[in-house]
Amino acid sequence: ATLVLLGASGKTWTIDAAKVPAGRGDGVPVNTLVNANGDNIVWIATGDLSRRLLMSSSAGQGFLCKLGDLVTKTRAGKEFMNVAEGARANAPVDVGGAGEASKLKLAALSSDARLLVFPLDELPVRPNGGVGVQVIALPDTVLLASVAVTDGKSLAVSGFKRARKQTVLDAKALKAYEGKRAQRGRVCDVGFRPDRLGG
């Protein structure tokens, strides 16, 4: 099996899973298995290389690709997602098979608690990676906090109000946040400050 790793810089590496030490010890730091050069590993995956992913960065850029597009042959890895200076790659979101994508919506949450929902197919497919397109409009100092994929019927939102809380927006509630890609979105008013989408 192939293990695919993504660094905060947008670089990817591939490891043969058989080379990961087995046993009961503490394991080994993943960045010693690849030439990460201090890059933080933000995501590790294995499985069906044809499954579709939503790539995004904290700067609010995003695109679609397949897990197999991230595979690289060299130990040094490859520059896959161009991440703006000062930003970082987010962990990709699994979108599933291509057939489902036409019905799916992308939900994007900014660090100032604005939520935007739009059709997933407004994002380009970039098998060779790159910069991507603006997912949600972000003023200076505001980041893309979280992205998720929804069928439009429900979306889990979590955040803090003295303690961690979670709520689920239903189809009617989600309608209020629908718009077009690269818009600013609306403040997600759920009674606490949301910082994460999805389960």
Side-chain angles (χ1 to χ4, degrees):
T2 299
L3 280 180
V4 178
L5 288 71
L6 175 69
S9 68
K11 202 167 184 182
T12 66
W13 298 268
T14 308
I15 305 172
D16 179 352
K19 293 196 170 121
V20 177
R24 297 186 177 184
D26 294 333
V28 294
V30 168
N31 41 6
T32 63
L33 298 173
V34 295
N35 294 346
N37 294 328
D39 200 349
N40 286 326
I41 305 296
V42 296
W43 185 76
I44 302 174
T46 188
D48 179 3
L49 294 179
S50 69
R51 82 176 198 250
R52 291 176 26 118
L53 298 176
L54 161 58
M55 306 291 294
S56 69
S57 74
S58 62
Q61 311 290 125
F63 59 85
L64 298 170
C65 65
K66 292 187 176 128
L67 178 58
D69 297 333
L70 279 63
V71 171
T72 171
K73 300 280 185 272
T74 69
R75 190 175 153 81
K78 73 174 172 182
E79 307 286 341
F80 185 69
M81 184 173 198
N82 294 352
V83 176
E85 196 166 336
R88 56 184 283 132
N90 293 329
V93 173
D94 198 327
V95 178
E100 303 150 30
S102 59
K103 301 186 202 77
L104 295 174
K105 297 180 189 300
L106 186 157
L109 179 70
S110 64
S111 60
D112 63 350
R114 283 178 173 265
L115 178 63
L116 176 66
V117 178
F118 62 85
L120 184 65
D121 59 14
E122 287 185 17
L123 274 194
V125 176
R126 299 264 164 92
N128 297 318
V131 178
V133 295
Q134 198 69 32
V135 174
I136 184 172
L138 299 172
D140 286 351
T141 75
V142 175
L143 303 174
L144 176 60
S146 185
V147 289
V149 171
T150 171
D151 56 6
K153 297 186 182 110
S154 68
L155 176 69
V157 179
S158 61
F160 275 101
K161 185 173 183 178
R162 291 188 293 279
R164 188 120 201 119
K165 291 182 171 282
Q166 179 169 323
T167 188
V168 176
L169 300 176
D170 62 14
K172 187 177 172 203
L174 277 175
K175 273 261 182 277
Y177 301 101
E178 286 188 1
K180 290 191 171 355
R181 181 184 68 72
Q183 288 179 334
R184 183 77 180 92
R186 288 183 51 190
V187 172
C188 186
D189 187 9
V190 287
F192 56 84
R193 188 170 179 86
D195 61 12
R196 197 164 67 214
L197 301 176

